[in-house]
Amino acid sequence: MSFWLDQALAQAELSNDCLAEHRAKSLEALRATPWPTRKTEAWRYTPLLSLDNSVIDEPNDNIDYPGSPEGVELIELFFVNGKLQSNINVAVEGLTIASLDNLNDEQQAVAKTVCQSAKPSRHLFGMVNDVLAKQGVLISVADGSDIKPIIRLVHLQNGGQSHVRHLIKLGQGAKVSVIEEYRGEQSFVATSFSEFDLGDDAVLNHYRFGLQTGAAKALAGCHFNLANRSQMHSTLVSFGSVLSRLDVDINHAGEHALATQNAIYLLADKELFDLHSNVEHMQPHGTTEENVRGIIGDSAKAVFNGRIHIHRYAQKTLAELNNRNLLLTPKAEINTKPELEIYADDVKCAHGATVAELDNKALYYLRSRGVSEQDARIMLNFGFINELIEQMPAEPLCEWLQGELRTRFGDLRTQLSVEG
Amino acid sequence: MTSKQLLTVKGLQAKVDEKDILKGLDLDVKPGEVHAIMGPNGAGKSTFGYVLSGRDGYEITGGEVVLDGKDITEMDIEERARAGLFLAFQYPVEIPGVSNLEFLKAAVDAHREAQGLEPLSSKDFLKEAREASKKVNLPAEFLKRGVNEGFSGGEKKRNEIMQMLLLKPKLCILDESDSGLDIDALQVVAEGVNSMRDGERSFIVVTHYQRLLDYIKPDYVHVLSDGKIVKSGDASLALELEAQGYSWLAEMREADPEEMHREVSE
Amino acid sequence: MTEEIDKALARKYEAGFVSAIESETFPPGLDEEVIRKISAMKNEPQWMLDWRLKAFAAWQEMETPDWAHLNFPVINYQDISYYSAPKSMADKPKSLDEVDPELLRTYEKLGIPLIEQQMLAGIAVDAVFDSVSVVTTFRDKLEEAGVIFCPISEAVHKYPELVKKYLGSVVPQKDNYFAALNCAVFTDGSFVYIPKGVRCPMELSTYFRINEQNTGQFERTLIVADEGSYVSYLEGCTAPQRDENQLHAAVVELVAMDNAEIKYSTVQNWYPGDEEGRGGIYNFVTKRGICHTNAKISWTQVETGSAITWKYPSCVLKGDNSVGEFYSVALTRGKQQADTGTKMIHLGKNTRSTIISKGISAGRSNNAYRGLVRMNPGADKARNFTQCDSLLIGDQCGAHTFPYVESRNPSAIVEHEATTSKVSDDQLFLCQQRGLDPEKAVSMIVNGFCKEVFKELPMEFAVEAGKLLEISLEGSVG
Ligand SMILES: Nc1ncnc2c1ncn2[C@@H]1O[C@H](COP(=O)(O)OP(=O)(O)OP(=O)(O)O)[C@@H](O)[C@H]1O
Ligand SMILES: [Mg+2]
């Protein structure tokens, strides 16, 4: 058992809100779950020692707000150290956003159906979040509503512990774009989980920018339920930190659903990042396409586990997963495991994983035009990531994010130039 | 008549993967000249371009290469490029994710820096790039796409010529820039080359076909075979080759006792 | 269409007969006493017994691994007999003429004549029947070349220094649960030593046969290829058709010294159980080789038998420029379960590995590829290429892929690809339209799917493997 978990649970107050039942159930399950060790498959490469061993910084309100992407209409909500900063004041037809600690009866009913519907119970920190998260929002999009502004949920933290849960429901044919953004580099613990429930024909554009780094201990999850003909397009961008873990679940609960997911990780120093992605095809005619790319520098470590599970009934599924990695230094490390579990025969499934060097031909081409080797390497590394960024549906977001990434590449600059 | 040389290649020998490809190649190029190199498949034409550009894995085992008075054999790829050597590739590589524009600006700025010039402002650069793309008939959108990403064969070749226009090299080596082009594109390539002819800039044009040479008039035509220049002449040689093919090369080889000796001893 | 394929797949197990051979068999049960008795039966020196007892002590502390994608009841190790030998072997036959004719007939029926005159020239065979080696052929001819090929029980006596040096050097006693058990109770198996610079003049082959009821087979193979030598080794196995499950837990160790090459091929055809999953062999095997500088180890396997297969032939690429290869065809049907693959551990510079795995699942079977490719910090410029393809036949089976890739060297390149497909109606239609019956069509398509692996097998084995698949796909369409 973990000292951190004991303490965290000791502080849990089982308040009597609409999610109380969910909390109680998870608390019980959590107590019966052994603390992961190296032998626990889901935590094989990711030690949790830092949770018990590090001193947590005192949180304070003196925090810098990041700039906003320009050229897009945004609805922005800021969470500082796990607390929503202002009242929610949204007047968009068909869109409801409400703080979890302030839901009316109708909203409570929605929250109850979404909570723990997409997130499976096996995620340890998901259960912790079940029990402890009191903050977060319910976003509900009415049937047929196409919400133009992008909802941006910004989370800033500089100490302490935070547990935030977002529940997002898209009615039939509803369309919405949601950005989850997480920042902070001090020593803190954050569990951040969100669940998305898509109705028939709904379309979700999802962005998750997990930019926590340094001493942050970030344990997170994104979970999606897809009903008939619904579509999700998700982009995940992650930096690493002392401990960063993201669990993603995509459930094809309806037929003819489409999921595309692009994920990027960019690691430096002694950072760790662990992405576990799981796709459940439970119904026929589903399509999933996942592209995961990482650049790992210094003595950072990346972990990727990408599972695709095709159930017996899910005939005519198309599923593809591709993971590519670049190691920059002799101390950098990647552990990747794409998994296929297939029980239906009339499906097309493939996965691939590579760890490689930069393309020598491309390097030669750039240099033959007079670009220095160092610049050529940086350009190619950036291009490797940028290929996925450019697929994001919102172009202004693209430019904003490219700026963020260039800063990160600046930090990696010296390593990008050394060969092997 | 000037006696100054832009490029002097003497007895150049080179190998790839332990295989000897260039076997004593001689070539002199004076400023302003256009040289055409022809020759059968596998003769070593592309290899010659790669060796001049300094590509890794192409090892010089003998001879010398002097560009504009400087021995370039020990120079890095990018140094040679900045010294004014440009190679338009037979098969340009695709680099997804790296935008053409970003790449071109980096290349142009690197060239300017080598000449002691300030980097171009983004605005000025964009203007030049747009003009260049117009000259080679590539829509401006291509500037935003990844380098050669998803370009058709002909578009790739035009992109190469556009880069040549922007980088203003002293010596341009065009490796089959005419293959895979339709008639209009062929003219675009030729016009690109001709517009750059200024009496100083020189060209080495590798081609299999006379038709490009109809547009770009060569001063000399050389036949490269088995790693050596085996015959040189003026523009009329190309016409001769077009008519005769390369079968005469075999006869020539039979008559070459050294060659026979080598084959026997193997 | 699927129904036709199913029928086409209904196979008969041709090696399922029982030989009437009088045997001396230990009563079921496992404790230190049993191990002492096995050791005594073999007249082993003290060091060998001590080695066994140490392994047994370790095994008792260990737990059955549960990470594989397999489902099977708890094995009761006290219900198994750990030693069984034909009575006729009690006083070792000196030559083939003294071997029990019934034994020879058994092997003949399996297509492995042991009379040298009748044999395919160029293959020497060690025949292991239940717990003992009954015959090793062509020994004189091999001795001429300096090659040692004999039962491992004999090697313990005749070449104790070699055995002591290499036994357990690649698969340590405590490596895993089944390997530890094997160390404690192994009864026989083959020992091969190829001296420096020798190219083994013929293919070496061991043929394993389980005959007795309620016995387990625990054989141990050790192959040492000294510097600059070459050997190609083939392994085959069968067992009678019985309703209860039988345990087979083997260990194979390969040592390829500098510039040596070992080619190890297996056609595994243990009894797979019936359509309902009754009976069949539980096949838990540890196979591993170590490659020194410039050495090469190549594993090729065709796995069609066993109720359960748990097997990961691996290479430790220790020396610079060493090469590891793994070519596998695994076919499961009925209720068979296979969890098989390989581990390529790259330690040296410029090490190279290739993995080609073809899984075919039919009926209600489950077929999993599980592999590990690890690039250690010292593995500069190392390369791996992995291709895993699964073919599903019918909608009641499962095909799974679990590749682990771990890299800690920026100059190493790892490429892994996996695909799944089915025998499509279009393919079948095309073949039938050209006049082939569905059975032949399926067999052709499956053979094509496996071609890359079959071409790695020595000729005789390739033929056998092809036949095996054909038999598997036989049963004819009405
Ligand atoms: N990496 C390599 N390894 C071995 N041989 C090579 C390699 N690269 C080129 N070659 C060989 O070198 C010879 C010359 O090739 P090169 O591409 O220079 O010919 P070319 O004259 O340009 O032919 P083409 O007219 O077909 O373009 C060929 O025989 C080719 O196969
Ligand atoms: Mg060429």
Side-chain angles (χ1 to χ4, degrees):
Chain A
M1 204 49 171
S2 145
F3 175 67
W4 172 82
L5 185 61
D6 283 347
Q7 279 213 321
L9 291 183
Q11 281 160 16
E13 0 164 331
L14 291 176
S15 61
N16 205 11
D17 62 8
C18 69
L19 299 176
E21 240 174 79
H22 290 93
R23 291 206 173 90
K25 202 175 82 188
S26 290
L27 183 59
E28 203 178 313
L30 193 54
R31 293 219 159 102
T33 306
W35 190 248
T37 66
R38 291 248 145 184
K39 289 202 171 144
T40 314
E41 182 63 22
W43 295 92
R44 171 185 283 263
Y45 303 104
T46 301
L48 290 168
L49 294 171
S50 61
L51 277 179
D52 281 332
N53 294 350
S54 59
V55 180
I56 299 297
D57 290 339
E58 274 303 313
N60 64 66
D61 291 342
N62 187 9
I63 216 160
D64 286 341
Y65 280 55
S68 301
E70 284 167 21
V72 269
E73 196 185 335
L74 295 167
I75 297 171
E76 298 188 308
L77 294 177
F78 289 87
F79 292 78
V80 172
N81 293 318
K83 296 213 173 49
L84 182 60
Q85 289 306 289
S86 53
N87 289 334
I88 300 170
N89 193 358
V90 181
V92 176
E93 171 93 40
L95 174 66
T96 311
I97 305 183
S99 177
L100 282 194
D101 56 9
N102 189 19
L103 302 177
N104 65 28
D105 285 355
E106 195 188 329
Q107 292 161 349
Q108 289 190 6
V110 176
K112 274 192 197 172
T113 61
V114 178
C115 187
Q116 297 181 7
S117 68
K119 178 180 76 62
S121 57
R122 66 170 184 280
H123 302 308
L124 180 74
F125 292 94
M127 286 190 277
V128 172
N129 186 272
D130 285 346
V131 176
L132 296 174
K134 298 283 168 57
Q135 287 276 329
V137 291
L138 172 76
I139 300 175
S140 175
V141 184
D143 290 354
S145 297
D146 181 355
I147 308 300
K148 287 287 174 255
I150 298 181
I151 301 165
R152 180 178 181 222
L153 307 170
V154 184
H155 308 75
L156 310 171
Q157 193 166 353
N158 59 15
Q161 318 246 350
S162 76
H163 306 283
V164 177
R165 180 66 153 268
H166 300 304
L167 304 172
I168 295 96
K169 182 168 178 69
L170 282 73
Q172 290 188 9
K175 287 188 188 161
V176 71
S177 300
V178 179
I179 304 174
E180 301 179 62
E181 190 176 323
Y182 299 88
R183 292 172 187 266
E185 53 185 47
Q186 284 82 2
S187 178
F188 60 76
V189 178
T191 74
S192 339
F193 285 76
S194 11
E195 294 184 72
F196 298 82
D197 191 14
L198 279 69
D200 288 351
D201 302 293
V203 179
L204 168 71
N205 287 324
H206 171 255
Y207 309 89
R208 187 184 191 284
F209 305 138
L211 310 182
Q212 293 130 319
T213 174
K217 287 154 274 292
L219 302 143
C222 287
H223 316 279
F224 307 86
N225 267 345
L226 306 179
N228 295 318
R229 298 170 305 278
S230 62
Q231 293 187 17
M232 61 167 284
H233 306 285
S234 166
T235 304
L236 311 172
V237 176
S238 303
F239 298 166
S241 68
V242 164
L243 172 61
S244 279
R245 163 75 171 234
L246 177 61
D247 282 287
V248 176
D249 292 280
I250 297 172
N251 306 312
H252 286 256
E255 298 187 11
H256 290 280
L258 166 68
T260 64
Q261 181 150 65
N262 285 343
I264 288 164
Y265 40 88
L266 210 49
L267 312 185
D269 294 331
K270 288 186 178 156
E271 293 167 4
L272 166 82
F273 175 68
D274 179 343
L275 172 61
H276 269 61
S277 151
N278 181 48
V279 181
E280 300 283 345
H281 279 273
M282 296 173 281
Q283 297 293 329
H285 294 283
T287 302
T288 298
E289 195 177 313
E290 282 185 276
N291 275 298
V292 181
R293 292 193 185 176
I295 298 182
I296 304 125
D298 288 321
S299 40
K301 171 157 104 174
V303 181
F304 174 65
N305 195 107
R307 175 170 179 260
I308 296 175
H309 180 184
I310 317 272
H311 295 244
R312 183 133 292 150
Y313 186 61
Q315 293 291 10
K316 305 278 180 195
T317 292
L318 300 177
E320 220 175 304
L321 180 155
N322 201 330
N323 172 229
R324 291 169 62 186
N325 299 279
L326 293 173
L327 294 184
L328 299 181
T329 64
K331 287 213 169 112
E333 181 180 333
I334 168 72
N335 302 286
T336 170
K337 177 162 138 253
E339 292 181 48
L340 290 174
E341 242 183 289
I342 299 176
Y343 296 93
D345 61 339
D346 195 4
V347 299
K348 279 214 178 76
C349 285
H351 71 209
T354 61
V355 187
E357 296 178 294
L358 288 180
D359 179 1
N360 264 325
K361 277 198 200 118
L363 200 59
Y364 165 59
Y365 189 83
L366 295 184
R367 292 176 69 194
S368 80
R369 297 298 179 251
V371 179
S372 74
E373 182 172 350
Q374 168 162 338
D375 286 350
R377 282 180 181 275
I378 293 171
M379 222 183 263
L380 291 175
N381 274 289
F382 187 80
F384 176 69
I385 296 294
N386 194 36
E387 222 187 320
L388 298 187
I389 299 294
E390 292 204 319
Q391 290 171 15
M392 297 203 309
E395 207 168 313
L397 277 188
C398 240
E399 279 162 32
W400 174 79
L401 187 63
Q402 281 165 344
E404 294 278 332
L405 293 180
R406 279 189 201 279
T407 317
R408 182 74 166 174
F409 269 93
D411 300 343
L412 285 169
R413 200 173 171 88
T414 48
Q415 297 165 42
L416 292 169
S417 56
V418 272
E419 192 168 358
Chain B
M1 241 193 80
T2 162
S3 61
K4 207 183 130 216
Q5 296 287 344
L6 178 64
L7 178 76
T8 311
V9 179
K10 246 194 228 138
L12 183 62
Q13 297 178 333
K15 64 177 182 186
V16 192
D17 274 351
E18 298 306 306
K19 186 179 168 198
D20 293 313
I21 311 280
L22 300 187
K23 303 170 180 172
L25 192 150
D26 299 306
L27 185 69
D28 284 326
V29 179
K30 294 195 179 67
E33 289 178 351
V34 175
H35 291 244
I37 296 186
M38 306 182 82
N41 292 135
K45 302 182 296 295
S46 295
T47 303
F48 180 48
Y50 293 147
V51 170
L52 289 185
S53 76
R55 184 173 191 164
D56 288 342
Y58 288 74
E59 194 191 333
I60 295 184
T61 50
E64 57 183 70
V65 181
V66 177
L67 178 71
D68 213 7
K70 284 187 292 264
D71 178 356
I72 62 167
T73 52
E74 294 297 315
M75 282 158 71
D76 278 343
I77 305 165
E78 57 266 33
E79 278 182 80
R80 299 183 198 208
R82 291 172 199 168
L85 187 143
F86 181 93
L87 174 59
F89 293 101
Q90 184 173 3
Y91 306 107
V93 64
E94 296 193 16
I95 315 180
V98 174
S99 88
N100 225 352
L101 210 54
E102 177 188 10
F103 157 62
L104 287 172
K105 175 134 176 37
V108 167
D109 285 347
H111 274 74
R112 292 177 63 89
E113 195 187 327
Q115 292 155 24
L117 299 171
E118 289 291 304
L120 274 183
S121 75
S122 297
K123 209 174 121 217
D124 289 346
F125 171 72
L126 208 59
K127 202 167 137 254
E128 280 202 22
R130 288 226 176 92
E131 275 168 22
S133 72
K134 208 165 157 192
K135 265 197 190 152
V136 297
N137 247 340
L138 273 184
E141 293 104 82
F142 277 71
L143 291 169
K144 282 199 186 161
R145 286 175 47 181
V147 177
N148 292 324
E149 187 183 0
F151 288 20
S152 75
E155 287 162 353
K156 282 181 184 164
K157 296 284 166 74
R158 277 183 272 168
N159 195 24
E160 295 290 292
I161 300 301
M162 177 174 79
Q163 291 172 30
M164 186 174 82
L165 293 173
L166 280 170
L167 297 177
K168 306 181 184 70
K170 288 181 185 144
L171 175 65
C172 309
I173 305 160
L174 279 65
D175 191 357
E176 297 197 27
S177 295
D178 55 336
S179 69
L181 296 186
D182 59 35
I183 299 291
D184 291 343
L186 190 70
Q187 273 182 21
V188 164
V189 168
E191 275 163 24
V193 170
N194 288 331
S195 75
M196 291 187 76
R197 291 187 70 172
D198 58 1
E200 286 297 313
R201 187 170 287 123
S202 309
F203 296 84
I204 297 175
V205 181
V206 175
T207 181
H208 284 294
Y209 305 105
Q210 166 63 33
R211 56 172 200 174
L212 179 69
L213 304 180
D214 288 342
Y215 296 102
I216 309 172
K217 286 267 169 293
D219 298 304
Y220 300 96
V221 175
H222 309 276
V223 178
L224 202 155
S225 168
D226 195 27
K228 281 192 290 252
I229 302 281
V230 293
K231 193 165 183 175
S232 298
D234 60 12
S236 65
L237 177 57
L239 292 166
E240 229 173 277
L241 292 173
E242 183 110 317
Q244 292 180 3
Y246 294 109
S247 53
W248 52 274
L249 278 173
E251 292 156 29
M252 213 171 93
R253 214 174 290 153
E254 265 164 42
D256 179 348
E258 194 189 350
E259 194 77 7
M260 282 189 59
H261 181 70
R262 194 174 63 84
E263 273 166 21
V264 169
S265 70
E266 262 168 16
Chain C
M1 216 47 116
T2 323
E3 215 175 286
E4 287 171 335
I5 299 173
D6 270 355
K7 263 197 250 163
L9 277 169
R11 95 165 91 159
K12 38 186 194 288
Y13 185 71
E14 293 200 328
F17 61 90
V18 182
S19 304
I21 284 175
E22 242 191 301
S23 285
E24 177 173 2
T25 305
F26 283 12
L30 179 58
D31 56 21
E32 255 193 50
E33 223 18 66
V34 169
I35 292 165
R36 284 177 198 281
K37 262 170 71 186
I38 293 172
S39 188
M41 289 297 287
K42 309 235 159 221
N43 215 349
E44 279 176 358
Q46 186 65 34
W47 62 265
M48 196 65 247
L49 175 61
D50 293 344
W51 196 83
R52 288 173 179 277
L53 291 173
K54 203 171 129 206
F56 183 62
W59 178 74
Q60 284 175 306
E61 302 290 312
M62 295 167 86
E63 280 170 26
T64 318
D66 61 357
W67 39 259
H69 195 279
L70 299 171
N71 231 325
F72 56 93
V74 175
I75 298 170
N76 187 343
Y77 293 91
Q78 300 305 329
D79 286 352
I80 298 169
S81 163
Y82 290 83
Y83 186 86
S84 176
K87 277 232 172 89
S88 57
M89 296 299 292
D91 28 43
K92 285 203 142 206
K94 302 281 175 306
S95 74
L96 268 176
D97 308 336
E98 293 176 36
V99 173
D100 183 344
E102 187 61 30
L103 265 175
L104 296 180
R105 263 197 297 283
T106 300
Y107 281 90
E108 216 173 287
K109 252 166 104 175
L110 294 168
I112 308 139
L114 296 176
I115 313 293
E116 289 180 6
Q117 293 79 359
Q118 299 174 4
M119 289 187 59
L120 287 165
I123 303 186
V125 179
D126 183 19
V128 177
F129 194 83
D130 287 334
S131 303
V132 293
S133 165
V134 288
V135 170
T136 312
T137 60
F138 287 117
R139 284 172 73 161
D140 304 344
K141 184 148 183 233
L142 290 170
E143 265 163 35
E144 254 170 59
V147 171
I148 303 171
F149 179 41
C150 68
I152 197 156
S153 52
E154 191 182 317
V156 169
H157 292 283
K158 281 170 93 175
Y159 314 100
E161 292 317 310
L162 282 174
V163 175
K164 255 196 230 175
K165 183 165 173 197
Y166 292 110
L167 192 71
S169 70
V170 188
V171 179
Q173 283 163 300
K174 291 185 212 173
D175 188 80
N176 66 69
Y177 188 79
F178 298 107
L181 176 63
N182 175 285
C183 290
V185 304
F186 78 88
T187 43
D188 221 329
S190 305
F191 173 77
V192 175
Y193 175 80
I194 318 288
K196 275 185 198 172
V198 171
R199 205 182 153 84
C200 188
M202 54 178 70
E203 308 262 359
L204 304 184
S205 162
T206 301
Y207 203 91
F208 297 102
R209 173 77 179 168
I210 299 179
N211 190 56
E212 244 339 270
Q213 209 156 354
N214 293 326
T215 54
Q217 194 177 51
F218 304 93
E219 88 269 356
R220 183 120 199 157
T221 302
L222 174 59
I223 299 177
V224 180
D226 215 326
E227 288 170 29
S229 66
Y230 169 86
V231 61
S232 166
Y233 184 90
L234 325 171
E235 176 198 87
C237 23
T238 54
Q241 207 156 334
R242 294 186 192 282
D243 275 351
E244 71 276 4
N245 299 107
Q246 282 178 289
L247 178 64
H248 172 249
V251 172
V252 175
E253 294 179 281
L254 309 184
V255 180
M257 306 301 281
D258 293 358
N259 300 308
E261 179 176 348
I262 302 176
K263 203 167 157 50
Y264 194 106
S265 314
T266 305
V267 173
Q268 187 265 104
N269 185 25
W270 295 117
Y271 178 54
D274 67 11
E275 288 301 316
E276 293 311 310
R278 268 187 309 262
I281 303 290
Y282 287 174
N283 190 31
F284 295 95
V285 175
T286 305
K287 293 184 167 177
R288 191 176 307 150
I290 186 162
C291 283
H292 294 276
T293 306
N294 294 326
K296 174 172 170 182
I297 289 179
S298 175
W299 297 101
T300 306
Q301 59 174 30
V302 177
E303 304 278 316
T304 59
S306 296
I308 288 186
T309 300
W310 179 101
K311 178 177 174 192
Y312 317 92
S314 305
C315 297
V316 180
L317 303 172
K318 183 162 178 255
D320 292 352
N321 310 316
S322 57
V323 176
E325 292 175 343
F326 175 75
Y327 300 96
S328 170
V329 166
L331 177 124
T332 54
R333 53 175 301 281
K335 287 195 164 173
Q336 278 178 279
Q337 304 176 60
D339 192 295
T340 183
T342 181
K343 290 194 269 188
M344 293 289 174
I345 311 294
H346 292 252
L347 304 176
K349 293 189 183 68
N350 275 318
T351 45
R352 257 133 240 264
S353 63
T354 306
I355 300 172
I356 308 284
S357 163
K358 306 281 179 178
I360 303 145
S361 326
R364 280 174 290 168
S365 69
N366 272 292
N367 198 329
Y369 168 82
R370 184 180 305 275
L372 167 68
V373 174
R374 178 182 292 149
M375 298 295 181
N376 269 42
D380 291 348
K381 303 256 173 213
R383 298 282 180 270
N384 161 264
F385 175 77
T386 303
Q387 175 79 49
C388 291
D389 298 319
S390 312
L391 191 68
L392 288 103
I393 303 180
D395 57 3
Q396 297 298 310
C397 53
H400 318 300
T401 319
F402 307 105
Y404 293 73
V405 175
E406 304 176 355
S407 179
R408 296 187 198 169
N409 189 306
S411 65
I413 295 181
V414 184
E415 281 177 84
H416 166 94
E417 274 171 33
T419 63
T420 54
S421 53
K422 65 171 210 164
V423 177
S424 73
D425 291 350
D426 289 352
Q427 289 170 321
L428 274 184
F429 175 69
L430 175 80
C431 293
Q432 284 179 285
Q433 209 287 317
R434 299 290 183 264
L436 295 173
D437 58 50
E439 176 190 320
K440 181 76 194 159
V442 171
S443 134
M444 244 178 66
I445 293 165
V446 171
N447 254 297
F449 177 75
C450 300
K451 206 153 116 206
E452 270 170 283
V453 174
F454 284 170
K455 78 176 197 316
E456 294 300 322
L457 284 169
M459 247 259 279
E460 297 80 4
F461 256 36
V463 173
E464 190 181 333
K467 266 199 296 204
L468 245 182
L469 277 194
E470 197 129 335
I471 292 169
S472 306
L473 302 165
E474 204 173 81
S476 233
V477 187

